[in-house]
Amino acid sequence: MAIITLASGLRIYLACGVTDMRRGMTGLAMLVQESFAENPFDGAVYAFRGRRAGLIKLLWHDGIGLCLLMKRLEYGQFAWPTVTTTGRIQLSPAQLAALLDGCEWRAPVKPRRPELAG
C-alpha cells in the first residue's frame, strides 16, 4: 500500500533504465536537472530503480523541503522500462500506486462498454 497520498493532477516521471541507488536526495535531484532538464523542486515525483530491481526511490519537493521515499520488495522485482528517447516516461497516479504495490502497471485496462443497448 502506498504511503503518500497521490493527487489526481500530480505529475509523475519514471527514469528509464538503471540508476545508481547509492545516490541520495542531492544526487537524484542533480540527475533530474542534468539528465531530464527538469526542475526537481517543481512538485513532480521522480521515480528511480536500481540494477537489482527490488528497490525504488521516489524524489519530490513538497513545497517545504525535498522528500525521498525508498521501497524495497521482499519478493520479486519492480516492472521497469529500459530506454526511451527522453530517458523517462510519465505515469498516472494510479500507475504509480500499482507500481508501489509491486503490481504490473504497464498493462492497460480497457474500459468495459456495453455491446447492445437494451
Side-chain angles (χ1 to χ4, degrees), residues 57-77:
K57 290 184 178 183
L58 302 180
L59 179 76
W60 74 98
H61 193 275
D62 66 357
I64 300 171
L66 205 54
C67 304
L68 182 67
L69 171 84
M70 296 184 346
K71 181 159 185 179
R72 184 183 313 269
L73 292 177
E74 294 293 327
Y75 302 101
Q77 297 180 334

Side-chain angles (χ1 to χ4, degrees), residues 21-100:
M21 288 287 103
R22 295 175 292 182
R23 290 181 184 238
M25 281 190 238
T26 305
L28 292 173
M30 295 282 294
L31 185 65
V32 168
Q33 277 182 313
E34 295 170 357
S35 297
F36 304 148
E38 292 284 341
N39 179 0
F41 309 108
D42 66 359
V45 175
Y46 298 92
F48 305 92
R49 189 194 83 170
R51 188 169 308 282
R52 292 188 184 165
L55 174 70
I56 63 172
K57 290 184 178 183
L58 302 180
L59 179 76
W60 74 98
H61 193 275
D62 66 357
I64 300 171
L66 205 54
C67 304
L68 182 67
L69 171 84
M70 296 184 346
K71 181 159 185 179
R72 184 183 313 269
L73 292 177
E74 294 293 327
Y75 302 101
Q77 297 180 334
F78 289 104
W80 214 260
T82 52
V83 178
T84 64
T85 55
T86 61
R88 65 179 177 182
I89 61 171
Q90 189 164 1
L91 300 182
S92 69
Q95 287 175 311
L96 179 60
L99 175 66
L100 288 174

